[in-house]
Amino acid sequence: MRITLRQLQTFETLVRKKSFSLTAQEMCVTQPTVSKQIKALQEEIGLALVEQIGKKVFLTEAGELLYSTCKNWLKNWDEFEQTLANMKGMTAGRLRIATVTTTKYFLPKLIGQFCQHYPGVDVRLEILNRERVMDRLEKNEDDVYIMGVPPENTDIHSTPFLANSLLMIAPLNHPLANRKAIQLSDVIHEPFILREPGSGTRLQIEKLFADHNQKPSIRLEMGSNEAIKQAVAGGLGLSILSSSTLIHEQKNNELAILDVEGFPIERHWYWVQHKDKTLPIIAKTFYEFLVDNIEQFKV
Ligand code: PGA
């Protein structure tokens, strides 16, 4: 059979992701390319490997057999490639990063800059909310994790690299917008628009309110920081967001930062990794690049 490594890698990714579009995303190719690779693989094998029901992809019996045959072999091959990259030095290799939603304001740009310096590097970036990043961390699916609330686990090493304060925001025309030294009790009954449960931002907000024996009155929950900013600007309520979400905000924007007691809540972005994991050498290069270039994203 003339099966290629690329076809097997595409198949393995498809089994993990269960979706053609997510596979294309992870492999940095288009969806038709993924379909073509799978089709060619099926033709070579002579049996259907996957079946698609709605948007979900399921394995056929032949698919199960192929997956169990090639899974460990591909992992070994991956390690071989990584060792080769390490032997070639600090400028090539693959780096898997999983990061929380809110880092989208700086991390993809920083990775873009990094890849321009090191074109031999293949970065796989997963952007999810904290709960899902934690899940990947537990399953050891990536090399490095970037998040605002690292786990308190002794097997994990976390290094802060950028301020990530939480700010309370309101529409510009809100009665509290120009007040100084607002008490928490003055805002506690305001309607809030908050990130979804499972988000790191939400976790911190719940802790803040719980520390004051309070619960926020939530008018709306959303998974997108940008949508929340728009809803606040539109007058739906107040919110608490990471200062990183304001990196690209103009001075004359439609949002006011409220001067509430205890705010801003000082926090950081953390570089998180398993203590005992041997990272690819390129991870060290990326960490140094991150520290040297993060200044541009300070708010
Ligand atoms: P989130 O995490 O994007 O999941 O809310 C942000 C943070 O922890 O600061």
Side-chain angles (χ1 to χ4, degrees), residues 219-238:
R219 174 175 273 184
L220 207 56
E221 288 181 341
M222 291 195 259
S224 150
N225 293 314
E226 278 308 296
I228 291 177
K229 278 157 59 182
Q230 291 301 322
V232 171
L236 270 189
L238 308 184

Side-chain angles (χ1 to χ4, degrees), residues 83-96:
T83 311
L84 275 189
N86 287 350
M87 285 162 78
K88 284 181 193 162
M90 319 277 268
T91 58
R94 193 214 54 227
L95 181 61
R96 287 180 199 265

Side-chain angles (χ1 to χ4, degrees), residues 100-102 129-130 147-149 164 195 198-201 267 269:
V100 294
T101 326
T102 307
N129 76 13
R130 180 181 183 273
M147 62 180 91
V149 192
N164 172 25
R195 284 286 306 276
S199 123
T201 313
R267 307 160 66 226
W269 288 116

